[in-house]
Amino acid sequence: FLTATYVQSRVISFYEARNKLKREAVSERFYSMVAHIRSIRSMGLDPVFDRMYQLAVADAQRCGMRSSVFSGFGHGLSEALTYIAEALIFFVGAKLMISGEYDFKRMMQVFNLIIFAVTFAAQMLTFLPGLSKSMKALSDLDRLLHLSDPSMVRTEKNGQLTCSIKGEIEFRNVAFSYDGCAAVRVLDHVNFKV
Protein backbone atom coordinates (compact mmCIF):
# COMPACT_ATOMS: atom_id res chain seq x y z
CA PHE A 1 0.00 0.00 0.00
CA LEU A 2 2.77 2.41 0.90
CA THR A 3 4.59 1.84 -2.37
CA ALA A 4 1.39 2.20 -4.38
CA THR A 5 0.48 5.36 -2.48
CA TYR A 6 3.93 6.87 -2.98
CA VAL A 7 4.08 6.12 -6.71
CA GLN A 8 0.51 7.29 -7.25
CA SER A 9 1.13 10.55 -5.37
CA ARG A 10 4.27 11.30 -7.42
CA VAL A 11 2.51 10.67 -10.72
CA ILE A 12 -0.58 12.65 -9.74
CA SER A 13 1.57 15.55 -8.48
CA PHE A 14 3.47 15.65 -11.77
CA TYR A 15 0.31 15.70 -13.85
CA GLU A 16 -1.41 18.19 -11.56
CA ALA A 17 1.47 20.64 -11.95
CA ARG A 18 1.27 20.26 -15.75
CA ASN A 19 -2.53 20.66 -15.71
CA LYS A 20 -2.24 23.81 -13.63
CA LEU A 21 0.16 25.35 -16.15
CA LYS A 22 -2.17 24.43 -19.01
CA ARG A 23 -5.19 25.93 -17.23
CA GLU A 24 -3.21 29.10 -16.54
CA ALA A 25 -2.30 29.31 -20.24
CA VAL A 26 -6.01 29.12 -21.12
CA SER A 27 -6.75 31.87 -18.59
CA GLU A 28 -3.95 34.04 -19.97
CA ARG A 29 -5.20 33.68 -23.54
CA PHE A 30 -8.75 34.49 -22.51
CA TYR A 31 -7.69 37.49 -20.43
CA SER A 32 -5.50 38.73 -23.27
CA MET A 33 -8.46 38.56 -25.64
CA VAL A 34 -10.85 40.33 -23.28
CA ALA A 35 -8.35 42.99 -22.19
CA HIS A 36 -7.48 43.94 -25.76
CA ILE A 37 -10.78 43.27 -27.49
CA ARG A 38 -10.98 46.71 -29.10
CA SER A 39 -7.51 46.45 -30.60
CA ILE A 40 -8.07 42.89 -31.73
CA ARG A 41 -11.34 43.77 -33.45
CA SER A 42 -10.03 46.93 -35.03
CA MET A 43 -7.09 45.06 -36.54
CA GLY A 44 -9.23 42.10 -37.58
CA LEU A 45 -7.23 39.64 -35.49
CA ASP A 46 -10.21 37.89 -33.88
CA PRO A 47 -9.67 34.62 -35.79
CA VAL A 48 -6.00 34.55 -34.76
CA PHE A 49 -6.71 35.09 -31.06
CA ASP A 50 -9.67 32.71 -31.18
CA ARG A 51 -7.45 30.04 -32.73
CA MET A 52 -4.76 30.59 -30.07
CA TYR A 53 -7.41 30.28 -27.36
CA GLN A 54 -8.85 27.12 -28.91
CA LEU A 55 -5.37 25.58 -29.13
CA ALA A 56 -4.72 26.36 -25.46
CA VAL A 57 -8.07 24.80 -24.48
CA ALA A 58 -7.35 21.69 -26.57
CA ASP A 59 -3.88 21.39 -25.02
CA ALA A 60 -5.31 21.68 -21.49
CA GLN A 61 -7.98 19.11 -22.31
CA ARG A 62 -5.42 16.70 -23.76
CA CYS A 63 -3.27 17.01 -20.62
CA GLY A 64 -6.33 16.54 -18.40
CA MET A 65 -7.33 13.41 -20.27
CA ARG A 66 -3.85 11.96 -19.79
CA SER A 67 -3.93 12.65 -16.07
CA SER A 68 -7.42 11.18 -15.71
CA VAL A 69 -6.03 7.77 -16.65
CA PHE A 70 -3.67 7.84 -13.67
CA SER A 71 -6.32 9.25 -11.37
CA GLY A 72 -8.74 6.50 -12.39
CA PHE A 73 -5.99 3.93 -12.02
CA GLY A 74 -5.48 5.12 -8.45
CA HIS A 75 -9.16 4.62 -7.61
CA GLY A 76 -9.14 1.17 -9.21
CA LEU A 77 -5.90 0.24 -7.48
CA SER A 78 -7.27 1.21 -4.08
CA GLU A 79 -10.32 -0.99 -4.58
CA ALA A 80 -8.28 -3.86 -6.00
CA LEU A 81 -5.78 -3.80 -3.12
CA THR A 82 -8.62 -3.84 -0.61
CA TYR A 83 -10.25 -6.90 -2.18
CA ILE A 84 -6.94 -8.71 -2.63
CA ALA A 85 -6.09 -8.08 1.03
CA GLU A 86 -9.51 -9.34 2.12
CA ALA A 87 -9.16 -12.48 0.01
CA LEU A 88 -5.71 -13.12 1.46
CA ILE A 89 -7.00 -12.56 5.00
CA PHE A 90 -9.89 -15.01 4.44
CA PHE A 91 -7.47 -17.60 3.07
CA VAL A 92 -4.97 -17.26 5.93
CA GLY A 93 -7.78 -17.11 8.47
CA ALA A 94 -9.34 -20.29 7.15
CA LYS A 95 -5.96 -22.05 7.28
CA LEU A 96 -5.35 -20.90 10.88
CA MET A 97 -8.84 -21.94 11.98
CA ILE A 98 -8.54 -25.35 10.33
CA SER A 99 -5.16 -25.97 11.98
CA GLY A 100 -6.65 -24.97 15.36
CA GLU A 101 -4.23 -22.08 16.03
CA TYR A 102 -7.07 -19.51 16.08
CA ASP A 103 -10.68 -19.78 17.16
CA PHE A 104 -13.51 -17.92 15.39
CA LYS A 105 -13.69 -15.04 17.89
CA ARG A 106 -9.97 -14.30 17.75
CA MET A 107 -9.95 -14.61 13.97
CA MET A 108 -12.79 -12.06 13.65
CA GLN A 109 -10.95 -9.58 15.87
CA VAL A 110 -7.80 -9.83 13.75
CA PHE A 111 -9.86 -9.76 10.56
CA ASN A 112 -11.68 -6.56 11.59
CA LEU A 113 -8.45 -4.79 12.60
CA ILE A 114 -6.66 -5.69 9.37
CA ILE A 115 -9.64 -4.84 7.16
CA PHE A 116 -9.97 -1.47 8.90
CA ALA A 117 -6.29 -0.71 8.30
CA VAL A 118 -6.39 -1.89 4.67
CA THR A 119 -9.56 0.07 3.90
CA PHE A 120 -8.11 3.21 5.48
CA ALA A 121 -4.91 2.84 3.44
CA ALA A 122 -6.91 2.26 0.26
CA GLN A 123 -8.94 5.40 0.88
CA MET A 124 -5.70 7.37 0.96
CA LEU A 125 -5.22 6.47 -2.72
CA THR A 126 -8.67 7.84 -3.48
CA PHE A 127 -7.87 11.20 -1.93
CA LEU A 128 -4.48 11.65 -3.62
CA PRO A 129 -5.67 13.77 -6.59
CA GLY A 130 -7.35 16.29 -4.28
CA LEU A 131 -4.45 16.19 -1.85
CA SER A 132 -2.01 16.78 -4.70
CA LYS A 133 -3.97 19.83 -5.88
CA SER A 134 -4.09 21.19 -2.35
CA MET A 135 -0.36 20.75 -1.86
CA LYS A 136 0.41 22.49 -5.16
CA ALA A 137 -1.91 25.38 -4.28
CA LEU A 138 -0.32 25.69 -0.84
CA SER A 139 3.14 25.72 -2.40
CA ASP A 140 2.10 28.48 -4.82
CA LEU A 141 0.49 30.49 -2.02
CA ASP A 142 3.64 30.17 0.10
CA ARG A 143 5.75 31.39 -2.82
CA LEU A 144 3.44 34.39 -3.27
CA LEU A 145 3.57 35.22 0.43
CA HIS A 146 7.36 35.24 0.36
CA LEU A 147 7.53 37.62 -2.61
CA SER A 148 7.35 40.60 -0.27
CA ASP A 149 9.98 39.20 2.10
CA PRO A 150 12.79 41.82 2.22
CA SER A 151 15.41 39.20 3.11
CA MET A 152 14.87 37.46 -0.22
CA VAL A 153 17.22 38.63 -2.96
CA ARG A 154 15.23 39.62 -6.03
CA THR A 155 16.87 39.80 -9.43
CA GLU A 156 13.89 40.65 -11.62
CA LYS A 157 14.63 44.37 -11.72
CA ASN A 158 18.37 43.81 -12.23
CA GLY A 159 18.06 41.82 -15.46
CA GLN A 160 19.83 42.71 -18.67
CA LEU A 161 18.94 42.06 -22.26
CA THR A 162 22.04 41.17 -24.21
CA CYS A 163 20.64 40.51 -27.67
CA SER A 164 22.75 41.45 -30.62
CA ILE A 165 20.74 43.91 -32.73
CA LYS A 166 22.10 45.23 -36.00
CA GLY A 167 20.61 48.05 -38.03
CA GLU A 168 18.19 50.82 -37.20
CA ILE A 169 14.61 50.90 -36.07
CA GLU A 170 12.69 53.91 -37.35
CA PHE A 171 9.39 55.12 -35.94
CA ARG A 172 7.33 57.48 -38.09
CA ASN A 173 4.28 59.45 -37.02
CA VAL A 174 3.85 57.54 -33.72
CA ALA A 175 0.85 58.41 -31.52
CA PHE A 176 0.17 56.76 -28.15
CA SER A 177 -2.17 57.18 -25.20
CA TYR A 178 -2.91 55.01 -22.15
CA ASP A 179 -6.16 53.03 -21.90
CA GLY A 180 -7.59 55.07 -19.02
CA CYS A 181 -6.83 58.47 -20.63
CA ALA A 182 -7.45 58.07 -24.35
CA ALA A 183 -7.95 61.80 -24.79
CA VAL A 184 -4.47 62.64 -23.48
CA ARG A 185 -1.78 61.53 -25.90
CA VAL A 186 1.62 60.76 -24.43
CA LEU A 187 3.18 60.64 -27.88
CA ASP A 188 1.65 62.62 -30.72
CA HIS A 189 3.04 62.38 -34.28
CA VAL A 190 6.59 61.60 -33.10
CA ASN A 191 9.38 60.49 -35.45
CA PHE A 192 12.63 58.97 -34.23
CA LYS A 193 15.31 56.38 -35.01
CA VAL A 194 16.92 53.90 -32.65
Side-chain angles (χ1 to χ4, degrees):
F1 278 113
L2 292 176
T3 303
T5 303
Y6 176 76
V7 170
Q8 182 72 9
S9 71
R10 300 299 293 174
V11 170
I12 292 291
S13 294
F14 169 75
Y15 275 105
E16 183 53 38
R18 284 184 61 196
N19 286 341
K20 184 176 182 292
L21 291 174
K22 302 293 183 182
R23 288 190 306 266
E24 286 174 357
V26 169
S27 297
E28 278 180 32
R29 297 281 165 85
F30 183 73
Y31 176 76
S32 160
M33 283 175 32
V34 170
H36 303 102
I37 193 70
R38 289 183 190 152
S39 303
I40 292 170
R41 289 208 167 205
S42 68
M43 289 186 269
L45 295 174
D46 345 8
V48 174
F49 276 82
D50 184 46
R51 181 71 182 144
M52 287 173 40
Y53 176 72
Q54 294 301 332
L55 288 172
V57 168
D59 194 29
Q61 183 179 12
R62 199 171 27 257
C63 190
M65 294 297 277
R66 274 191 226 123
S67 70
S68 68
V69 170
F70 294 103
S71 181
F73 180 75
H75 289 289
L77 183 64
S78 70
E79 295 296 323
L81 288 176
T82 301
Y83 290 126
I84 289 170
E86 286 179 12
L88 185 63
I89 291 169
F90 276 124
F91 176 74
V92 171
K95 288 283 194 182
L96 290 174
M97 285 176 56
I98 290 172
S99 70
E101 293 180 43
Y102 273 53
D103 62 353
F104 182 73
K105 180 181 176 186
R106 188 170 175 199
M107 184 59 213
M108 288 308 293
Q109 286 176 337
V110 171
F111 179 76
N112 284 332
L113 289 172
I114 292 174
I115 289 297
F116 177 75
V118 166
T119 304
F120 181 75
Q123 288 302 315
M124 287 302 296
L125 287 174
T126 305
F127 291 114
L128 279 177
L131 183 63
S132 176
K133 282 183 183 180
S134 300
M135 288 173 60
K136 180 67 178 153
L138 184 61
S139 167
D140 290 346
L141 179 62
D142 186 49
R143 187 174 48 84
L144 283 174
L145 290 174
H146 285 94
L147 283 177
S148 62
D149 187 2
S151 65
M152 299 281 293
V153 177
R154 300 276 170 232
T155 59
E156 292 91 359
K157 59 184 172 186
N158 301 335
Q160 294 180 6
L161 182 62
T162 58
C163 296
S164 165
I165 300 174
K166 297 181 180 183
E168 293 182 336
I169 299 174
E170 183 176 348
F171 292 90
R172 294 182 188 161
N173 202 16
V174 176
F176 174 78
S177 62
Y178 290 104
D179 282 341
C181 302
V184 179
R185 289 195 173 181
V186 178
L187 300 174
D188 193 17
H189 302 293
V190 175
N191 299 310
F192 59 96
K193 288 181 183 181
V194 179

